[in-house]
Amino acid sequence: IIGVVMKKKVIFLVFLLIAVFALSGCSSYVSSQALQVDWLVFLLSLISAGIFLGFFYWIKKTSVRYKEIKPEYKGESEVTFLFVVCGVFFLRLLFAVLIKGFRDDIADLSEWAFYLADNGPFDFYKAYPDSNLLPGYVYLLTVLGSIARLFNFSNANNTMALLIKLPNIICDMISMYLIFKITKKYSNDTFALILSLLFGLDLSALFLSSVWGGFDSIAVLLILLAVYFMIDKKICKMIICIASATLIK
């Protein structure tokens, strides 16, 4: 997205290659069932990358002049963006409700959340030494577990799975807003809407946050915030966001 916005083909391809190799390498240590799902994520990522490449190629071929298209009245693009975000949010919510997610991950996260709600986060790694969670997400699970206890949620149905997925879906929506806001600095409102929608409908992101139940979206949001602060030359805030991202994923 950054490469497309700033019209830097090299930046775009470098980020694309990093994403592809990172996804292909994540299958080396998981079970056979998870391996199949990882390759599905990898395939969805390639399809999404192809869509972005096609979009980039279209921009270069048609020589779209980013600044020429203006909204008819002030606030038009913001209203349109609000409808787009609501549509994507309900689409992801539908997937989250209909599909419980990757069974083992959801079960582990639910168990850890209930433990953290009952015992607090301080002895978590002693109780679960094999857990691969970083401290930032442990604190978030403590909050989610407390909410689940308050409303008597159970892991027997999709309620707890939905609660675990909800922060990731919300983070994706905020990421859409940041992409919209960042793109407007270099482009027009229409182009910003298209890019934010492309992210919102990204197949791999939708699968990870709304179906699987992974929490990558939180780290993605923090990195996007870091980019936003970097553009505004707010270095301290940028560093805080990057450090926070490393505590999550």
Side-chain angles (χ1 to χ4, degrees):
I1 290 171
I2 296 168
V4 170
V5 171
M6 302 185 73
K7 293 183 283 184
K8 299 292 185 181
K9 189 183 296 184
V10 174
I11 295 176
F12 179 77
L13 292 175
V14 167
F15 274 102
L16 177 63
L17 286 172
I18 290 172
V20 168
F21 282 112
L23 280 167
S24 63
C26 71
S27 303
S28 60
Y29 60 91
V30 291
S31 65
S32 58
Q33 183 182 5
L35 181 65
Q36 295 171 2
V37 179
D38 274 344
W39 279 106
L40 175 60
V41 175
F42 177 60
L43 179 62
L44 293 176
S45 298
L46 284 179
I47 294 171
S48 299
I51 293 171
F52 272 101
L53 278 173
F55 186 55
F56 188 86
Y57 178 76
W58 173 76
I59 291 169
K60 300 294 284 186
K61 289 292 288 184
T62 56
S63 300
V64 176
R65 296 184 179 181
Y66 304 131
K67 294 291 184 181
E68 284 186 357
I69 307 173
K70 299 292 183 183
E72 293 181 8
Y73 62 90
K74 189 176 181 181
E76 178 186 15
S77 61
E78 283 75 12
V79 173
T80 306
F81 176 75
L82 182 62
F83 279 107
V84 168
V85 167
C86 288
V88 173
F89 176 76
F90 285 115
L91 176 66
R92 288 178 179 243
L93 207 58
L94 182 65
F95 276 98
V97 170
L98 293 178
I99 307 172
K100 186 173 181 179
F102 184 47
R103 183 181 62 252
D104 294 344
D105 278 6
I106 293 295
D108 286 343
L109 291 173
S110 300
E111 180 184 342
W112 296 337
F114 285 128
Y115 171 86
L116 289 164
D118 296 336
N119 302 283
F122 303 108
D123 291 325
F124 174 75
Y125 294 107
K126 187 183 294 184
Y128 297 97
D130 295 330
S131 169
N132 59 355
L133 294 186
L134 293 177
Y137 196 66
V138 169
Y139 292 127
L140 177 59
L141 271 185
T142 305
V143 175
L144 295 179
S146 300
I147 294 172
R149 286 293 190 215
L150 181 64
F151 293 99
N152 293 318
F153 288 171
S154 169
N155 199 27
N157 51 40
N158 283 7
T159 312
M160 189 62 191
L162 178 61
L163 181 64
I164 288 172
K165 295 174 185 178
L166 198 55
N168 307 303
I169 297 173
I170 293 171
C171 283
D172 279 343
M173 300 304 99
I174 300 173
S175 293
M176 283 183 67
Y177 173 73
L178 283 174
I179 290 167
F180 177 73
K181 198 167 180 62
I182 291 170
T183 307
K184 283 179 67 175
K185 290 179 178 289
Y186 299 94
S187 174
N188 58 67
D189 294 356
T190 303
F191 189 65
L193 279 169
I194 293 172
L195 267 186
S196 63
L197 180 61
L198 279 175
F199 175 82
L201 298 178
D202 179 82
L203 297 175
S204 56
L206 188 150
F207 182 85
L208 282 169
S209 62
S210 302
V211 177
W212 184 311
F215 46 94
D216 308 69
S217 300
I218 303 171
V220 169
L221 171 59
L222 290 167
I223 294 299
L224 274 173
L225 271 172
V227 171
Y228 178 76
F229 289 132
M230 179 187 70
I231 291 171
D232 285 349
K233 295 182 172 57
K234 297 176 180 177
I235 305 303
C236 288
K237 292 181 179 180
M238 179 196 76
I239 292 171
I240 290 171
C241 287
I242 293 174
S244 300
T246 61
L247 291 174
I248 295 288
K249 189 70 175 180

